[in-house]
Amino acid sequence: MKILHITDIHVGWEPDREKEKRAWERLYREASSVAENGGKPDIMAVTGDLVMHGEEEEYRRTEEYIHGLRKLLGLEKEKVFFCCGNHDSDTPDPGSTFHEYEAFAERFYGGEIPGFWREVPVFTVNSCKKTSLKDFNDCWLDPKDVDEILAKAVPGKKGILLMHHQPEIFDDQSQIVRLKEAVALILGGHLHSGYARQIAWKGMTAVNGMAITPHFQFIPKGFQVVDMAEDGKVETVMYVYKDGGGVLEQRA
């Protein structure tokens, strides 16, 4: 199965709305071109930092943009999956909530949020429950969330986990280790490194995606297509925006 993986889109970071729209129009063009040339995705994964300040108005625009992208690619809304990132919290204060993110997800799906795709289980988890815009590196996994993932696991069929933070930076690896019972592939973001990176971690494959909207103009931007075979083998191809249009295709 092919997964269009986009991350760190940060709607609201660009104060000029026309520039923001043009950035999304470019994503539409580049993702459509990739899909037409053998990269049509089965699902879309959006791994956090959908918005910049956690505001309802930012989420409203994000909702419109992502619906536009998935319609262009011929994807039903049930084949689009999200997890939240540190910028998706309501306020920049410790202990902030994700109420606006939750309201966005309910609007996007028009009701119940899907728990998994028809063929491969897709899980999402909030690794930002102890974080805020001021303390955004405080990644943490709630053991109760891991319990819920394991309870939903399909025997003999490991799935995909969307989690904003990369698993190797967690101080406490005990919950990460538990995940391998249900998860074969972890998709995330957060780093804004300018490239996609694929590693093996604790018996799983982890892909850290390049940001659609990095905070600094000099950092390359783009997206990735992750191909997961039935035998669990994973291949990631990143599509880096080129000056003047088009993308540079390169394996992670």
Side-chain angles (χ1 to χ4, degrees):
M1 67 180 294
K2 289 185 183 296
I3 307 157
L4 173 63
H5 178 202
I6 63 175
T7 191
D8 295 84
I9 56 184
H10 291 292
V11 171
W13 177 84
E14 172 56 67
D16 186 326
R17 295 288 179 84
E18 289 305 313
K19 286 185 178 179
E20 180 181 277
K21 289 180 181 178
R22 288 197 295 271
W24 276 88
E25 288 168 358
R26 178 166 190 185
L27 175 58
Y28 291 170
R29 290 195 304 272
E30 308 297 8
S32 296
S33 177
V34 168
E36 290 168 2
N37 288 279
K40 188 179 187 309
D42 297 300
I43 65 173
M44 184 194 309
V46 188
T47 55
D49 281 1
L50 282 68
V51 299
M52 190 66 190
H53 305 101
E55 298 172 355
E56 180 185 355
E57 203 275 336
E58 293 175 337
Y59 279 114
R60 295 280 182 179
R61 302 206 306 277
T62 302
E63 184 178 353
E64 180 181 348
Y65 291 141
I66 295 179
H67 272 308
L69 178 59
R70 64 102 182 157
K71 289 177 182 177
L72 198 61
L73 297 173
L75 292 175
E76 301 168 359
K77 61 185 178 182
E78 290 79 16
K79 293 184 179 180
V80 180
F81 297 89
F82 305 94
C83 71
C84 55
N86 45 281
H87 278 271
D88 297 322
S89 59
D90 299 337
T91 72
D93 302 311
S96 56
T97 71
F98 289 83
H99 291 158
E100 291 297 343
Y101 169 82
E102 292 162 359
F104 151 80
E106 290 179 3
R107 287 195 307 270
F108 185 90
Y109 294 112
E112 185 177 354
I113 300 172
F116 57 89
W117 190 47
R118 285 191 289 267
E119 296 182 19
V120 177
V122 179
F123 309 106
T124 66
V125 70
N126 183 352
S127 60
C128 311
K129 284 185 176 179
K130 285 190 174 181
T131 195
S132 69
L133 298 185
K134 290 181 179 178
D135 303 303
F136 59 85
N137 280 323
D138 185 17
C139 52
W140 176 76
L141 276 183
D142 188 334
K144 293 181 180 178
D145 290 341
V146 178
D147 290 343
E148 185 175 348
I149 289 171
L150 296 178
K152 292 179 178 178
V154 178
K157 184 177 286 188
K158 292 187 178 182
I160 301 164
L161 174 68
L162 276 56
M163 179 176 70
H164 184 61
H165 293 93
Q166 58 273 29
E168 73 274 14
I169 69 171
F170 284 61
D171 290 334
D172 181 0
Q173 289 286 314
S174 60
Q175 301 307 316
I176 299 290
V177 171
R178 293 179 65 207
L179 285 170
K180 68 180 181 181
E181 296 179 28
V183 173
L185 172 64
I186 300 175
L187 301 177
H190 187 61
L191 283 183
H192 296 215
S193 59
Y195 57 88
R197 186 205 60 179
Q198 177 179 316
I199 66 170
W201 191 258
K202 305 297 182 182
M204 298 170 282
T205 300
V207 175
N208 186 263
M210 63 186 311
I212 287 290
T213 310
H215 294 321
F216 299 101
Q217 293 289 353
F218 62 84
I219 297 176
K221 62 185 66 175
F223 56 92
Q224 38 281 317
V225 172
V226 182
D227 198 339
M228 187 171 77
E230 290 185 8
D231 62 3
K233 183 179 179 181
V234 176
E235 181 179 66
T236 302
V237 178
M238 61 181 179
Y239 295 90
V240 187
Y241 286 4
K242 295 194 296 187
D243 293 340
V247 290
L248 173 67
E249 179 180 334
Q250 188 170 337
R251 279 169 172 73

